[in-house]
Amino acid sequence: MKGDRILELKEELIPIIGDENILTDPIKTRFYRTGIRVGQGKAAMVVFPANLLHLWKTLETCILFDKIIILQAANTGLTGGSNPSGDNYDRDVIIISTIKINRLILLNKGQQVIAFPGTTLYQLEDNLLPLNRGPHSVIGSSCIGASVIGGVCNNSGGNLVNRGPAYTELSLYARLNQKGKLELVNHLGIELGSSVDDILKNIEAVNFNTENIIPSSKLASDIEYQHRVRDVKASSPARFNADKRRLYESSGCAGKIAVFAVRLDTFPLPEKEQVFFLGTNNPDNLTILRQRILTELSVLPDMGEYMHRSYFNGSEKYCKDLFLLIKFFGTKSLPKIFFYKRKIDEFLEEYTFLPRNITDKSLQFLASLLPPHLPEVFIKYRDKYEHLMLFSASDKAIDLMNNILDEETKKVDEYEYIKCTKNEGSDVLLHRYVAGSAPGRYSKLNSNNSASIIPLDIALPRNCSSWYKLLPKEILSQMAESFQMGHFLCMVFHWDFVAKEGVNVDSLKNNILSILDKNNAKYPAEHNVGHLYNAEDDLKNFYQKLDPTNTFNSGIGKTSKRKNYE
């Protein structure tokens, strides 16, 4: 029952994790109950276990009290999939934040890693850099500070086409079986003991030989991805959340199990890198270029990122402060900066006479006083061209890309590219890195006079050539603002629209999705169905198999929020 025995539950949790690691004040829990773009709901409690054994005991206790459990790490989900949605649950919601459990274990000199629930993507990248290796994804396409396990659970990544999306068949996780018993499943491919205590204590203490890990026949990355991307004639998308090929235990689970650790491949870093920046007013030029790259080049570029002028402008206007923070202080500074920002927001929220989102508005104002932060060459391209591309190529792919760009841009006018200097390349990649924060900042600055954001995470068929004209003018005319970009080589697009005042957002979104359905698109592509999208049957079946009692992340994919899916 909702509201039942909450104080008693808290008393049971205090000896496990400490009173200081339990939040019940709605103001203090608001950050964890609210998505960074969409979604908000009620939660009776937010708790912060400090290690894996505490996490296990917290799960046991919450299950004993018959509560809904939402596992959350960095809370960077774009579809509300890592926070509650509304208050129409049949049981109390307990959010378990795993952000403190951020251990990272390097295996076989960094050829693989084990990441704990709170380990972030930039933490992983930072630890691999001295070993001259990198993770599956580094761009942070739509959020900053995302967790590694969050990426695995949500099928994230894939913009680095030579590495593939986040995927593993090697994980350590807890699930609640049909009989209501919590089970710990060790499929890491590493012997850690037989009891729950032994397994969790041994992995926390790294009580195994990290330099002699036996290779597993199970995958720790999506090794087939590059071949799927190259099939430009295929009428299906290269990757999407409901793809049965990539639903395996923790991979794609969307929080329907409690993932304690994942084992992942890492990748050697290149010796040389080159960023190319391309502009055109005819998007058909980009379609032809993509087909040639994927079918003719023996070695693919590392990434090919599309930015419509709208998203370039959005990033320039709304993400300047974030750009400068990362450029001058690095990603290491972000967790602490975001923490203090959140604390200030919580403090100011108590003073109802103050404007909403005052910290974001202040940061936006301060950034506007600073001189331009982007090299002039990119501004000139933006002013001249509506459609922009950046390619990052390495080693053997550099000359191949240089040649194909020379050939294509010489064929027609109003179509050109530059080879970026090292500093220019870093700046434009960072500009793309922070761009995903633009819709959220826009919404906060215009919270009093704009409708909801409509975030669309779309996987188009690999043979799609009409990607830039799928939505008719009567749809686009209902938008107050639009932000469009994508991982172009794999045809995954992020369209973030802000509807005009008075527009029926639900009806508008349904019209858009109907158009996408007719074009054989899949959605979402990589950010979890959350509470925005209906889970397809394959995904629903996968969720129910993982979580037969509907205890974890109830209601995900617009499924039932009630116990046992009643």
Side-chain angles (χ1 to χ4, degrees), residues 158 160-165 222-239 245 287-303 394 396-397 400-401 404 460-464 487-491:
L160 297 181
V161 293
N162 294 310
R163 302 183 191 182
D222 189 353
I223 60 175
E224 299 175 350
Y225 182 63
Q226 184 182 148
H227 304 291
R228 291 205 300 272
V229 170
R230 285 182 178 274
D231 187 1
V232 297
K233 295 182 179 180
S235 59
S236 61
R239 57 186 173 101
R245 296 172 298 182
T287 300
I288 295 169
L289 177 62
R290 171 181 173 268
Q291 291 174 342
R292 286 199 62 191
I293 289 172
L294 293 176
T295 58
E296 296 179 21
L297 298 194
S298 58
V299 181
L300 294 180
D302 297 315
M303 71 171 77
S394 58
K396 294 180 180 178
L400 298 176
M401 278 300 300
I404 205 167
L460 297 179
R462 284 164 281 179
N463 65 354
C464 181
H487 311 307
F488 195 63
L489 295 178
C490 54
M491 284 280 106

Side-chain angles (χ1 to χ4, degrees), residues 25-34 40 349 356:
D25 184 334
I27 291 178
K28 293 183 178 180
T29 64
R30 181 182 175 185
F31 169 81
Y32 306 96
R33 298 184 289 106
T34 306
Q40 185 177 19
E349 191 174 332
R356 290 184 61 192

Side-chain angles (χ1 to χ4, degrees), residues 160 270-278 300-305 378 389-403 405 417-426 428-429:
L160 297 181
E271 295 181 9
K272 296 185 298 180
E273 292 181 281
Q274 176 63 56
V275 175
F276 301 91
F277 192 70
L278 176 76
L300 294 180
D302 297 315
M303 71 171 77
E305 295 295 297
F378 300 129
M389 283 287 307
L390 66 92
F391 291 99
S392 178
S394 58
D395 298 336
K396 294 180 180 178
I398 295 175
D399 288 340
L400 298 176
M401 278 300 300
N402 209 119
N403 292 338
L405 290 174
Y417 79 99
I418 58 168
K419 291 178 66 174
C420 298
T421 65
K422 184 177 181 179
N423 288 338
E424 289 171 346
S426 296
V428 76
L429 286 174

Side-chain angles (χ1 to χ4, degrees), residues 67-70 81 83-85 88-93 254-256 530-531 547 549-565:
K67 303 305 180 186
I68 289 171
I69 298 166
I70 296 178
N83 49 268
S85 177
N88 56 337
Y89 295 90
D90 62 338
R91 294 150 288 164
D92 293 305
V93 174
K256 296 300 285 181
H531 294 282
D547 181 25
T549 66
N550 200 19
T551 294
F552 291 96
N553 216 0
S554 305
I556 199 78
K558 297 190 176 181
T559 57
S560 171
K561 292 181 176 179
R562 303 184 68 82
K563 192 171 183 177
N564 300 317
Y565 301 95

Side-chain angles (χ1 to χ4, degrees), residues 215-426:
S216 173
S217 59
K218 293 185 177 181
L219 298 178
S221 62
D222 189 353
I223 60 175
E224 299 175 350
Y225 182 63
Q226 184 182 148
H227 304 291
R228 291 205 300 272
V229 170
R230 285 182 178 274
D231 187 1
V232 297
K233 295 182 179 180
S235 59
S236 61
R239 57 186 173 101
F240 56 98
N241 275 89
D243 188 348
K244 288 194 294 185
R245 296 172 298 182
R246 293 175 56 230
L247 299 176
Y248 190 96
E249 297 179 344
S250 63
S251 294
C253 73
K256 296 300 285 181
I257 53 177
V259 185
F260 282 59
V262 294
R263 179 176 162 187
L264 294 167
D265 289 332
T266 69
F267 303 86
L269 293 179
E271 295 181 9
K272 296 185 298 180
E273 292 181 281
Q274 176 63 56
V275 175
F276 301 91
F277 192 70
L278 176 76
T280 183
N281 286 316
N282 183 357
D284 288 330
N285 292 333
L286 302 183
T287 300
I288 295 169
L289 177 62
R290 171 181 173 268
Q291 291 174 342
R292 286 199 62 191
I293 289 172
L294 293 176
T295 58
E296 296 179 21
L297 298 194
S298 58
V299 181
L300 294 180
D302 297 315
M303 71 171 77
E305 295 295 297
Y306 168 75
M307 291 187 80
H308 186 266
R309 182 187 284 152
S310 60
Y311 232 130
F312 187 100
N313 290 343
S315 183
E316 180 189 19
K317 183 175 182 180
Y318 299 113
C319 305
K320 184 177 181 179
D321 53 322
L322 187 55
F323 177 102
L324 294 173
L325 280 173
I326 296 175
K327 182 171 182 177
F328 293 109
F329 298 101
T331 53
K332 283 184 179 180
S333 66
L334 293 182
K336 187 172 290 187
I337 291 171
F338 289 163
F339 173 80
Y340 286 119
K341 178 181 179 295
R342 184 167 74 247
K343 289 298 181 183
I344 294 171
D345 287 337
E346 290 173 358
F347 174 76
L348 294 176
E349 191 174 332
E350 297 183 21
Y351 299 91
T352 55
F353 61 88
L354 291 174
R356 290 184 61 192
N357 304 310
I358 192 168
T359 55
D360 284 277
K361 291 175 180 177
S362 299
L363 289 169
Q364 183 70 20
F365 174 72
L366 290 173
S368 69
L369 300 178
L370 299 174
H373 62 292
L374 290 173
E376 183 65 24
V377 64
F378 300 129
I379 304 303
K380 289 180 179 178
Y381 263 64
R382 182 274 315 275
D383 293 341
K384 187 175 181 180
Y385 298 116
E386 181 181 1
H387 304 279
L388 306 165
M389 283 287 307
L390 66 92
F391 291 99
S392 178
S394 58
D395 298 336
K396 294 180 180 178
I398 295 175
D399 288 340
L400 298 176
M401 278 300 300
N402 209 119
N403 292 338
I404 205 167
L405 290 174
D406 269 345
E407 292 173 10
E408 286 299 308
T409 55
K410 287 178 180 177
K411 291 179 181 178
V412 292
D413 295 329
E414 295 294 300
Y415 186 24
E416 59 181 325
Y417 79 99
I418 58 168
K419 291 178 66 174
C420 298
T421 65
K422 184 177 181 179
N423 288 338
E424 289 171 346
S426 296

